[in-house]
Amino acid sequence: MIELKYLKNVVTLQLDQQKCNACRMCVLVCPHEVFEIKDKKAHIIRKDLCMECGACEKNCSEGAISVKSGVGCAAGIINGLLRGTEPTCDCSSSGSVCC
Amino acid sequence: MTKHYVTDVIGTAIGSVERVSTVWSRLDILQTIRVRWSIGRMNYLVTPGVYAVGKPDADSNIFISANFKLSFDHLRRALHGINAWILVLDTKGINVWCAAGKGTFGTKELVHRISEHHISQLVNHKKLILPQLGAVGVSAFEVKDQTGFKVIYGPVEARDIKPFVGTGMEATPAMRKINFTMIDRLKLIPVELSYGRYYLLLIPAIFFILSGLNIHGYSVDAAWQIGGISVLYLLVAYLSGCVITPMLLPWIPFRRFSVKGLIIGWILGGVVLYLTGSLLTIFEIISWLLMMGSLSSFLAMNFTGSSTFTSLSGVQKEMKLSLPLQIIATGIGIIGWIITRFI
Protein backbone atom coordinates (compact mmCIF):
# COMPACT_ATOMS: atom_id res chain seq x y z
CA MET A 1 0.00 0.00 0.00
CA ILE A 2 1.14 3.53 -0.70
CA GLU A 3 1.92 5.30 2.55
CA LEU A 4 -0.21 8.38 3.04
CA LYS A 5 1.79 11.43 4.09
CA TYR A 6 0.65 14.89 5.05
CA LEU A 7 2.48 18.23 5.02
CA LYS A 8 6.20 18.36 5.82
CA ASN A 9 7.89 20.27 8.62
CA VAL A 10 4.80 21.44 10.47
CA VAL A 11 4.59 19.00 13.37
CA THR A 12 5.07 20.38 16.91
CA LEU A 13 6.35 17.12 18.41
CA GLN A 14 9.44 17.47 20.62
CA LEU A 15 11.46 15.01 22.66
CA ASP A 16 13.84 15.79 25.50
CA GLN A 17 16.21 12.82 25.44
CA GLN A 18 17.79 13.85 28.74
CA LYS A 19 14.59 12.90 30.54
CA CYS A 20 13.94 9.67 28.60
CA ASN A 21 14.24 6.41 30.54
CA ALA A 22 13.66 4.19 27.49
CA CYS A 23 10.42 2.70 28.87
CA ARG A 24 9.16 2.20 25.28
CA MET A 25 5.71 3.56 26.03
CA CYS A 26 5.94 6.12 23.19
CA VAL A 27 6.80 3.33 20.76
CA LEU A 28 3.83 1.30 21.98
CA VAL A 29 1.19 4.03 21.79
CA CYS A 30 2.21 5.76 18.55
CA PRO A 31 -0.02 4.68 15.64
CA HIS A 32 2.47 5.90 13.04
CA GLU A 33 5.81 4.42 14.15
CA VAL A 34 7.29 7.85 14.80
CA PHE A 35 9.56 6.66 17.64
CA GLU A 36 12.33 4.16 17.97
CA ILE A 37 14.47 3.15 20.97
CA LYS A 38 18.18 3.15 20.23
CA ASP A 39 21.08 3.16 22.71
CA LYS A 40 18.63 3.27 25.64
CA LYS A 41 16.96 6.48 24.43
CA ALA A 42 13.89 7.25 22.40
CA HIS A 43 14.45 8.84 19.00
CA ILE A 44 12.01 10.58 16.69
CA ILE A 45 12.64 8.83 13.41
CA ARG A 46 9.64 9.78 11.28
CA LYS A 47 8.51 13.18 12.49
CA ASP A 48 6.47 14.12 9.44
CA LEU A 49 4.20 11.13 9.97
CA CYS A 50 3.14 12.41 13.41
CA MET A 51 -0.52 13.40 13.53
CA GLU A 52 -0.24 15.17 16.87
CA CYS A 53 -2.70 12.90 18.65
CA GLY A 54 -0.81 13.38 21.91
CA ALA A 55 -0.82 9.74 23.07
CA CYS A 56 2.96 9.71 23.56
CA GLU A 57 2.99 12.88 25.66
CA LYS A 58 0.10 11.62 27.78
CA ASN A 59 1.81 8.29 28.46
CA CYS A 60 5.36 9.51 29.03
CA SER A 61 5.86 9.21 32.78
CA GLU A 62 9.05 11.29 32.60
CA GLY A 63 7.48 14.24 30.82
CA ALA A 64 10.07 14.00 28.06
CA ILE A 65 7.66 14.50 25.17
CA SER A 66 5.69 17.58 24.24
CA VAL A 67 3.32 18.11 21.36
CA LYS A 68 0.56 20.59 20.72
CA SER A 69 -2.14 18.00 20.25
CA GLY A 70 -5.57 18.48 18.78
CA VAL A 71 -7.90 17.47 16.03
CA GLY A 72 -6.40 17.43 12.55
CA CYS A 73 -9.81 18.20 11.15
CA ALA A 74 -10.82 21.16 8.98
CA ALA A 75 -14.43 21.14 10.21
CA GLY A 76 -13.15 21.16 13.79
CA ILE A 77 -10.90 24.13 13.11
CA ILE A 78 -13.78 26.04 11.47
CA ASN A 79 -15.92 25.15 14.50
CA GLY A 80 -13.25 26.61 16.76
CA LEU A 81 -12.94 29.76 14.62
CA LEU A 82 -16.70 30.34 14.70
CA ARG A 83 -16.97 29.86 18.45
CA GLY A 84 -13.67 31.51 19.30
CA THR A 85 -12.36 28.36 20.98
CA GLU A 86 -9.63 25.82 20.33
CA PRO A 87 -10.29 23.55 17.35
CA THR A 88 -12.98 21.13 18.43
CA CYS A 89 -15.06 18.47 16.76
CA ASP A 90 -17.60 18.73 19.51
CA CYS A 91 -20.44 16.66 18.16
CA SER A 92 -22.30 16.19 21.41
CA SER A 93 -23.40 19.79 21.93
CA SER A 94 -24.11 20.86 18.38
CA GLY A 95 -25.85 17.63 17.43
CA SER A 96 -24.02 17.60 14.14
CA VAL A 97 -22.32 14.62 12.65
CA CYS A 98 -18.61 14.12 12.89
CA CYS A 99 -15.92 11.57 13.67
CA MET B 1 -32.58 0.69 22.94
CA THR B 2 -33.33 -3.01 23.40
CA LYS B 3 -30.44 -5.10 24.57
CA HIS B 4 -30.86 -7.85 22.00
CA TYR B 5 -27.13 -8.57 22.25
CA VAL B 6 -27.43 -9.72 25.87
CA THR B 7 -27.88 -13.51 26.06
CA ASP B 8 -28.31 -14.00 29.81
CA VAL B 9 -27.22 -12.79 33.23
CA ILE B 10 -24.50 -14.41 35.33
CA GLY B 11 -23.74 -14.13 39.03
CA THR B 12 -20.30 -12.72 39.93
CA ALA B 13 -18.40 -11.41 42.93
CA ILE B 14 -19.76 -7.95 42.14
CA GLY B 15 -23.35 -9.07 41.53
CA SER B 16 -25.27 -9.83 38.36
CA VAL B 17 -23.48 -9.18 35.10
CA GLU B 18 -25.00 -9.33 31.63
CA ARG B 19 -23.40 -11.78 29.22
CA VAL B 20 -23.25 -10.64 25.61
CA SER B 21 -23.23 -12.53 22.34
CA THR B 22 -20.05 -12.56 20.24
CA VAL B 23 -21.99 -12.94 17.02
CA TRP B 24 -23.66 -10.04 15.26
CA SER B 25 -27.38 -10.58 14.79
CA ARG B 26 -29.22 -9.35 11.74
CA LEU B 27 -30.35 -6.38 13.82
CA ASP B 28 -26.72 -5.51 14.68
CA ILE B 29 -25.80 -5.57 11.00
CA LEU B 30 -28.82 -3.46 10.08
CA GLN B 31 -28.02 -0.95 12.82
CA THR B 32 -24.39 -0.81 11.67
CA ILE B 33 -25.44 0.05 8.13
CA ARG B 34 -27.82 2.73 9.41
CA VAL B 35 -25.24 4.31 11.67
CA ARG B 36 -22.66 4.35 8.85
CA TRP B 37 -25.17 6.54 7.03
CA SER B 38 -25.28 8.82 10.08
CA ILE B 39 -28.79 7.75 11.01
CA GLY B 40 -29.12 7.95 14.78
CA ARG B 41 -25.34 8.09 15.05
CA MET B 42 -25.29 10.37 18.06
CA ASN B 43 -27.63 8.16 20.03
CA TYR B 44 -26.23 4.69 19.45
CA LEU B 45 -25.34 3.76 22.99
CA VAL B 46 -24.47 0.91 25.29
CA THR B 47 -25.01 1.31 29.03
CA PRO B 48 -21.60 1.81 30.68
CA GLY B 49 -20.50 -0.95 33.05
CA VAL B 50 -19.30 -4.54 33.17
CA TYR B 51 -20.27 -7.23 30.65
CA ALA B 52 -19.25 -10.87 30.37
CA VAL B 53 -18.13 -12.75 27.27
CA GLY B 54 -18.04 -16.56 27.33
CA LYS B 55 -17.45 -17.98 30.81
CA PRO B 56 -15.12 -15.51 32.49
CA ASP B 57 -13.69 -15.99 35.99
CA ALA B 58 -11.41 -14.10 38.34
CA ASP B 59 -8.40 -14.75 36.11
CA SER B 60 -9.99 -13.53 32.90
CA ASN B 61 -8.78 -10.47 31.04
CA ILE B 62 -10.66 -7.18 31.17
CA PHE B 63 -11.08 -5.29 27.93
CA ILE B 64 -12.02 -1.62 28.03
CA SER B 65 -14.38 -0.12 25.45
CA ALA B 66 -16.36 3.01 24.63
CA ASN B 67 -20.14 3.09 24.84
CA PHE B 68 -20.61 3.84 21.13
CA LYS B 69 -22.37 0.63 20.16
CA LEU B 70 -20.33 0.20 16.98
CA SER B 71 -17.12 0.18 19.08
CA PHE B 72 -18.67 -2.24 21.57
CA ASP B 73 -19.94 -4.50 18.76
CA HIS B 74 -16.49 -4.75 17.18
CA LEU B 75 -14.96 -5.67 20.52
CA ARG B 76 -17.49 -8.37 21.45
CA ARG B 77 -17.27 -9.89 17.99
CA ALA B 78 -13.46 -9.98 18.24
CA LEU B 79 -13.73 -11.80 21.58
CA HIS B 80 -15.54 -14.78 20.04
CA GLY B 81 -14.29 -17.95 21.73
CA ILE B 82 -12.51 -16.03 24.51
CA ASN B 83 -13.65 -15.84 28.15
CA ALA B 84 -13.32 -12.22 29.17
CA TRP B 85 -14.82 -9.20 30.87
CA ILE B 86 -15.68 -5.99 29.09
CA LEU B 87 -15.71 -2.71 30.98
CA VAL B 88 -17.57 -0.05 29.02
CA LEU B 89 -16.74 3.58 29.79
CA ASP B 90 -19.23 6.39 29.41
CA THR B 91 -17.96 8.21 26.33
CA LYS B 92 -21.36 9.77 25.51
CA GLY B 93 -21.80 7.43 22.58
CA ILE B 94 -18.57 8.48 20.86
CA ASN B 95 -16.00 5.99 19.51
CA VAL B 96 -12.74 5.30 21.35
CA TRP B 97 -10.44 7.49 19.30
CA CYS B 98 -12.62 10.60 19.13
CA ALA B 99 -13.65 10.20 22.75
CA ALA B 100 -10.00 9.87 23.77
CA GLY B 101 -9.29 13.08 21.85
CA LYS B 102 -12.03 14.85 23.78
CA GLY B 103 -10.96 13.26 27.07
CA THR B 104 -14.19 11.36 27.77
CA PHE B 105 -12.35 8.10 27.10
CA GLY B 106 -9.81 9.23 29.64
CA THR B 107 -7.90 8.60 32.83
CA LYS B 108 -10.58 10.13 35.03
CA GLU B 109 -13.48 8.11 33.59
CA LEU B 110 -11.46 4.87 33.67
CA VAL B 111 -10.40 5.40 37.29
CA HIS B 112 -14.01 6.20 38.17
CA ARG B 113 -15.36 3.04 36.49
CA ILE B 114 -12.73 0.84 38.18
CA SER B 115 -13.97 1.87 41.62
CA GLU B 116 -17.65 2.27 40.68
CA HIS B 117 -17.86 -1.33 39.45
CA HIS B 118 -15.50 -2.82 42.08
CA ILE B 119 -13.17 -4.23 39.45
CA SER B 120 -10.58 -5.21 42.06
CA GLN B 121 -13.18 -7.60 43.52
CA LEU B 122 -14.19 -8.97 40.12
CA VAL B 123 -10.72 -10.26 39.24
CA ASN B 124 -7.61 -11.28 41.14
CA HIS B 125 -5.12 -9.66 38.77
CA LYS B 126 -4.21 -6.05 38.09
CA LYS B 127 -4.29 -5.74 34.30
CA LEU B 128 -6.57 -3.84 31.96
CA ILE B 129 -6.42 -4.10 28.19
CA LEU B 130 -7.21 -0.89 26.35
CA PRO B 131 -7.47 -0.24 22.64
CA GLN B 132 -4.25 1.48 21.59
CA LEU B 133 -6.03 4.58 20.30
CA GLY B 134 -7.39 5.09 23.81
CA ALA B 135 -3.87 6.17 24.75
CA VAL B 136 -4.74 9.60 23.38
CA GLY B 137 -6.93 10.15 26.45
CA VAL B 138 -5.60 7.71 29.03
CA SER B 139 -2.36 8.05 30.89
CA ALA B 140 -1.21 4.54 31.83
CA PHE B 141 1.11 5.66 34.62
CA GLU B 142 -1.58 7.84 36.22
CA VAL B 143 -4.07 4.95 36.18
CA LYS B 144 -1.44 2.75 37.82
CA ASP B 145 -0.73 5.41 40.46
CA GLN B 146 -4.39 5.91 41.26
CA THR B 147 -5.78 2.36 41.09
CA GLY B 148 -2.87 -0.08 41.00
CA PHE B 149 -4.11 -1.42 37.67
CA LYS B 150 -1.61 -1.76 34.87
CA VAL B 151 -2.83 -0.52 31.52
CA ILE B 152 -1.79 -2.67 28.58
CA TYR B 153 -2.37 -1.14 25.20
CA GLY B 154 -3.73 -3.69 22.78
CA PRO B 155 -3.93 -3.49 19.01
CA VAL B 156 -5.49 -0.57 17.10
CA GLU B 157 -8.05 -2.88 15.50
CA ALA B 158 -10.28 -5.17 17.58
CA ARG B 159 -9.87 -7.95 15.01
CA ASP B 160 -6.21 -8.34 16.08
CA ILE B 161 -7.17 -9.10 19.68
CA LYS B 162 -6.94 -12.89 19.34
CA PRO B 163 -3.37 -12.95 17.98
CA PHE B 164 -2.50 -10.23 20.52
CA VAL B 165 -3.71 -12.35 23.46
CA GLY B 166 -2.13 -15.43 21.89
CA THR B 167 1.33 -13.88 21.68
CA GLY B 168 1.50 -12.88 25.33
CA MET B 169 -0.10 -9.43 25.14
CA GLU B 170 2.45 -7.70 23.00
CA ALA B 171 1.05 -5.85 20.02
CA THR B 172 3.31 -6.32 17.01
CA PRO B 173 4.38 -3.21 15.07
CA ALA B 174 1.79 -4.08 12.42
CA MET B 175 -0.99 -4.24 15.04
CA ARG B 176 0.06 -0.87 16.44
CA LYS B 177 0.01 0.92 13.15
CA ILE B 178 -3.09 2.67 11.95
CA ASN B 179 -3.90 2.17 8.30
CA PHE B 180 -6.20 3.96 5.95
CA THR B 181 -6.97 1.48 3.24
CA MET B 182 -9.39 1.83 0.36
CA ILE B 183 -11.93 -0.20 2.37
CA ASP B 184 -11.47 2.03 5.43
CA ARG B 185 -12.09 5.06 3.25
CA LEU B 186 -15.10 3.52 1.50
CA LYS B 187 -16.76 2.87 4.86
CA LEU B 188 -16.51 6.59 5.63
CA ILE B 189 -18.09 7.78 2.40
CA PRO B 190 -21.71 7.52 3.60
CA VAL B 191 -20.85 9.81 6.50
CA GLU B 192 -19.14 12.20 4.10
CA LEU B 193 -22.14 12.15 1.76
CA SER B 194 -24.52 13.04 4.55
CA TYR B 195 -22.27 15.96 5.53
CA GLY B 196 -24.26 18.49 3.51
CA ARG B 197 -27.56 17.66 5.23
CA TYR B 198 -30.28 20.21 4.45
CA TYR B 199 -27.90 22.29 2.34
CA LEU B 200 -28.25 19.50 -0.21
CA LEU B 201 -31.81 20.70 -0.79
CA LEU B 202 -31.44 24.36 0.02
CA ILE B 203 -28.59 25.23 -2.35
CA PRO B 204 -30.07 23.47 -5.41
CA ALA B 205 -33.38 25.22 -4.65
CA ILE B 206 -31.65 28.61 -4.67
CA PHE B 207 -29.98 27.80 -7.99
CA PHE B 208 -33.32 26.74 -9.48
CA ILE B 209 -34.90 30.04 -8.44
CA LEU B 210 -31.99 32.16 -9.65
CA SER B 211 -31.84 30.27 -12.94
CA GLY B 212 -35.15 31.82 -14.05
CA LEU B 213 -33.77 35.34 -13.88
CA ASN B 214 -32.97 37.02 -17.16
CA ILE B 215 -32.99 40.38 -18.90
CA HIS B 216 -36.70 40.05 -19.73
CA GLY B 217 -37.74 39.37 -16.16
CA TYR B 218 -38.42 35.85 -15.01
CA SER B 219 -38.77 32.69 -17.08
CA VAL B 220 -40.02 29.46 -15.58
CA ASP B 221 -38.74 27.52 -18.59
CA ALA B 222 -35.25 28.88 -18.02
CA ALA B 223 -35.51 28.04 -14.32
CA TRP B 224 -36.12 24.38 -15.16
CA GLN B 225 -33.57 24.14 -17.92
CA ILE B 226 -30.68 26.13 -16.46
CA GLY B 227 -31.60 25.12 -12.93
CA GLY B 228 -31.49 21.45 -13.83
CA ILE B 229 -28.07 21.65 -15.39
CA SER B 230 -26.81 23.77 -12.47
CA VAL B 231 -27.88 21.12 -10.00
CA LEU B 232 -26.05 18.52 -12.06
CA TYR B 233 -22.83 20.58 -11.86
CA LEU B 234 -23.23 21.05 -8.11
CA LEU B 235 -23.81 17.34 -7.65
CA VAL B 236 -20.69 16.49 -9.65
CA ALA B 237 -18.64 18.86 -7.50
CA TYR B 238 -20.16 17.40 -4.34
CA LEU B 239 -19.33 13.84 -5.38
CA SER B 240 -15.82 14.90 -6.44
CA GLY B 241 -15.08 16.24 -2.97
CA CYS B 242 -16.98 13.69 -0.87
CA VAL B 243 -16.53 10.45 -2.76
CA ILE B 244 -13.97 10.46 -5.57
CA THR B 245 -11.21 12.39 -3.78
CA PRO B 246 -11.42 10.28 -0.58
CA MET B 247 -11.46 7.08 -2.65
CA LEU B 248 -8.47 7.99 -4.79
CA LEU B 249 -6.65 9.87 -2.02
CA PRO B 250 -3.20 8.23 -2.22
CA TRP B 251 -3.05 8.41 -5.99
CA ILE B 252 -3.94 12.08 -6.43
CA PRO B 253 -0.80 14.24 -6.53
CA PHE B 254 -0.01 16.88 -3.86
CA ARG B 255 -0.30 16.50 -0.11
CA ARG B 256 -2.89 19.15 0.60
CA PHE B 257 -6.40 17.72 0.63
CA SER B 258 -7.76 20.98 -0.77
CA VAL B 259 -5.49 20.70 -3.81
CA LYS B 260 -6.43 17.05 -4.31
CA GLY B 261 -10.10 18.05 -4.21
CA LEU B 262 -9.52 20.92 -6.61
CA ILE B 263 -7.81 18.63 -9.13
CA ILE B 264 -10.63 16.08 -9.06
CA GLY B 265 -13.28 18.82 -9.07
CA TRP B 266 -11.76 20.37 -12.18
CA ILE B 267 -11.22 17.08 -13.99
CA LEU B 268 -14.78 15.87 -13.45
CA GLY B 269 -16.13 19.39 -13.82
CA GLY B 270 -14.24 19.78 -17.10
CA VAL B 271 -15.67 16.51 -18.41
CA VAL B 272 -19.25 17.30 -17.49
CA LEU B 273 -19.00 20.86 -18.83
CA TYR B 274 -17.56 19.53 -22.08
CA LEU B 275 -20.39 17.01 -22.42
CA THR B 276 -23.27 19.33 -21.54
CA GLY B 277 -22.04 22.85 -21.94
CA SER B 278 -22.07 23.44 -25.70
CA LEU B 279 -24.47 26.35 -25.21
CA LEU B 280 -22.57 27.92 -22.32
CA THR B 281 -20.61 31.13 -22.76
CA ILE B 282 -16.98 31.30 -21.72
CA PHE B 283 -18.00 33.40 -18.69
CA GLU B 284 -20.44 30.75 -17.54
CA ILE B 285 -17.81 28.04 -17.93
CA ILE B 286 -15.27 30.03 -15.89
CA SER B 287 -17.88 30.75 -13.23
CA TRP B 288 -18.77 27.10 -12.98
CA LEU B 289 -15.15 25.98 -12.78
CA LEU B 290 -14.60 28.44 -9.93
CA MET B 291 -17.68 27.20 -8.04
CA MET B 292 -17.13 23.49 -8.69
CA GLY B 293 -13.42 23.66 -7.94
CA SER B 294 -13.89 25.42 -4.63
CA LEU B 295 -16.80 23.24 -3.52
CA SER B 296 -14.88 20.04 -4.26
CA SER B 297 -11.73 21.49 -2.68
CA PHE B 298 -13.59 22.51 0.50
CA LEU B 299 -15.28 19.14 0.90
CA ALA B 300 -12.02 17.28 0.28
CA MET B 301 -10.37 19.47 2.93
CA ASN B 302 -13.05 18.37 5.37
CA PHE B 303 -12.01 14.79 4.82
CA THR B 304 -8.90 15.60 6.91
CA GLY B 305 -11.21 15.03 9.90
CA SER B 306 -11.94 11.48 8.80
CA SER B 307 -8.39 10.63 7.79
CA THR B 308 -5.94 8.94 10.11
CA PHE B 309 -2.75 10.82 9.35
CA THR B 310 -3.38 14.59 9.35
CA SER B 311 -2.07 16.76 12.18
CA LEU B 312 -3.68 19.87 13.65
CA SER B 313 -0.65 21.98 12.69
CA GLY B 314 -0.80 20.64 9.15
CA VAL B 315 -4.51 21.28 8.67
CA GLN B 316 -4.15 24.78 10.13
CA LYS B 317 -1.35 25.52 7.68
CA GLU B 318 -3.35 24.14 4.78
CA MET B 319 -6.49 26.08 5.69
CA LYS B 320 -4.75 29.41 6.14
CA LEU B 321 -4.31 29.62 2.41
CA SER B 322 -7.03 27.34 1.09
CA LEU B 323 -10.09 28.56 2.97
CA PRO B 324 -9.85 32.23 1.89
CA LEU B 325 -9.19 31.14 -1.71
CA GLN B 326 -12.19 28.81 -1.65
CA ILE B 327 -14.43 31.58 -0.33
CA ILE B 328 -13.17 34.17 -2.84
CA ALA B 329 -13.42 31.77 -5.78
CA THR B 330 -16.94 30.74 -4.82
CA GLY B 331 -17.94 34.39 -4.45
CA ILE B 332 -16.55 35.36 -7.86
CA GLY B 333 -18.11 32.24 -9.40
CA ILE B 334 -21.59 33.00 -8.04
CA ILE B 335 -21.45 36.69 -8.99
CA GLY B 336 -20.11 35.81 -12.44
CA TRP B 337 -22.86 33.25 -12.97
CA ILE B 338 -25.60 35.67 -11.87
CA ILE B 339 -24.24 38.37 -14.19
CA THR B 340 -24.28 35.95 -17.12
CA ARG B 341 -28.01 35.43 -16.49
CA PHE B 342 -28.48 39.03 -17.74
CA ILE B 343 -26.13 39.07 -20.70
Side-chain angles (χ1 to χ4, degrees):
Chain A
M1 200 191 81
I2 306 173
E3 187 148 64
L4 286 154
K5 285 184 185 153
Y6 200 44
L7 311 190
K8 281 185 204 163
N9 304 322
V10 288
V11 168
T12 54
L13 177 69
Q14 280 179 331
L15 166 69
D16 181 353
Q17 279 187 339
Q18 300 286 317
K19 294 182 182 167
C20 175
N21 66 357
C23 74
R24 274 183 83 230
M25 209 56 179
C26 52
V27 176
L28 292 178
V29 297
C30 177
H32 285 295
E33 298 182 309
V34 170
F35 296 95
E36 177 187 74
I37 304 287
K38 220 166 52 189
D39 304 325
K40 296 195 173 158
K41 290 284 175 194
H43 295 257
I44 296 173
I45 51 168
R46 309 201 301 166
K47 191 166 180 173
D48 283 338
L49 290 185
C50 170
M51 45 177 259
E52 303 184 320
C53 71
C56 51
E57 181 185 37
K58 191 119 198 157
N59 282 277
C60 179
S61 57
E62 306 306 305
I65 300 170
S66 72
V67 56
K68 188 177 174 293
S69 61
V71 286
C73 164
I77 293 170
I78 293 173
N79 248 341
L81 283 175
L82 293 177
R83 296 188 208 168
T85 61
E86 287 289 294
T88 168
C89 55
D90 199 351
C91 333
S92 44
S93 58
S94 64
S96 69
V97 175
C98 81
C99 50
Chain B
M1 197 175 288
T2 56
K3 289 187 173 181
H4 59 270
Y5 47 86
V6 172
T7 55
D8 57 348
V9 174
I10 60 170
T12 71
I14 59 163
S16 307
V17 166
E18 289 172 326
R19 179 165 28 207
V20 295
S21 168
T22 55
V23 180
W24 284 15
S25 65
R26 201 148 57 166
L27 185 58
D28 292 319
I29 296 166
L30 201 72
Q31 289 178 337
T32 300
I33 294 168
R34 280 167 46 117
V35 84
R36 290 267 185 220
W37 282 95
S38 302
I39 303 165
R41 190 181 180 89
M42 305 318 291
N43 193 27
Y44 194 48
L45 311 173
V46 178
T47 311
V50 179
Y51 294 87
V53 175
K55 295 190 179 78
D57 57 27
D59 295 319
S60 301
N61 286 317
I62 305 173
F63 291 86
I64 313 296
S65 185
N67 79 326
F68 180 38
K69 184 165 175 283
L70 199 58
S71 308
F72 179 74
D73 279 355
H74 279 93
L75 175 59
R76 67 188 171 90
R77 186 171 66 175
L79 292 174
H80 186 72
I82 297 177
N83 300 322
W85 304 103
I86 296 177
L87 176 59
V88 175
L89 306 188
D90 185 4
T91 60
K92 317 289 174 205
I94 307 288
N95 69 68
V96 171
W97 200 7
C98 288
K102 289 180 214 301
T104 46
F105 190 104
T107 308
K108 201 175 148 202
E109 167 67 6
L110 179 57
V111 169
H112 163 71
R113 290 285 157 199
I114 291 170
S115 70
E116 170 92 10
H117 302 287
H118 310 289
I119 301 303
S120 51
Q121 289 167 42
L122 178 68
V123 291
N124 55 21
H125 60 76
K126 289 279 175 193
K127 284 180 312 199
L128 302 171
I129 302 169
L130 271 71
Q132 185 193 314
L133 295 176
V136 173
V138 172
S139 166
F141 67 90
E142 283 177 14
V143 173
K144 172 100 193 207
D145 284 351
Q146 293 174 34
T147 66
F149 276 91
K150 184 186 179 208
V151 167
I152 299 170
Y153 290 112
V156 167
E157 304 265 2
R159 63 168 164 273
D160 288 330
I161 282 175
K162 252 185 206 170
F164 166 79
V165 172
T167 54
M169 309 271 203
E170 166 90 20
T172 63
M175 288 180 197
R176 293 200 298 263
K177 204 167 152 149
I178 188 155
N179 296 312
F180 202 41
T181 61
M182 179 73 129
I183 291 168
D184 295 334
R185 298 197 302 276
L186 286 175
K187 282 183 189 167
L188 292 169
I189 283 170
V191 172
E192 296 299 315
L193 273 176
S194 50
Y195 172 80
R197 280 168 287 162
Y198 50 86
Y199 288 110
L200 288 175
L201 292 174
L202 181 69
I203 291 173
I206 291 171
F207 269 82
F208 261 113
I209 293 165
L210 290 176
S211 293
L213 290 173
N214 61 38
I215 200 154
H216 310 293
Y218 198 87
S219 152
V220 176
D221 281 348
W224 279 114
Q225 226 168 23
I226 301 170
I229 202 88
S230 302
V231 170
L232 172 72
Y233 297 156
L234 289 171
L235 194 68
V236 167
Y238 194 75
L239 293 177
S240 300
C242 281
V243 179
I244 310 296
T245 307
M247 256 171 63
L248 302 179
L249 201 66
W251 300 285
I252 308 168
F254 299 101
R255 295 189 178 203
R256 287 168 185 253
F257 282 45
S258 49
V259 179
K260 290 174 188 276
L262 179 68
I263 291 173
I264 297 299
W266 273 352
I267 291 175
L268 295 184
V271 170
V272 75
L273 283 167
Y274 177 78
L275 293 175
T276 61
S278 54
L279 296 173
L280 294 181
T281 64
I282 184 75
F283 291 108
E284 283 177 299
I285 290 173
I286 292 171
S287 300
W288 272 115
L289 283 174
L290 286 171
M291 287 189 280
M292 293 171 86
S294 24
L295 179 59
S296 176
S297 171
F298 177 77
L299 292 165
M301 196 171 75
N302 267 307
F303 194 64
T304 51
S306 299
S307 80
T308 59
F309 63 100
T310 55
S311 59
L312 173 62
S313 304
V315 180
Q316 278 175 330
K317 184 182 176 186
E318 161 159 8
M319 286 177 73
K320 218 174 217 169
L321 184 67
S322 304
L323 191 61
L325 286 179
Q326 287 157 357
I327 294 171
I328 292 166
T330 308
I332 295 174
I334 291 174
I335 292 166
W337 180 76
I338 292 174
I339 290 172
T340 58
R341 302 288 95 240
F342 295 97
I343 296 175

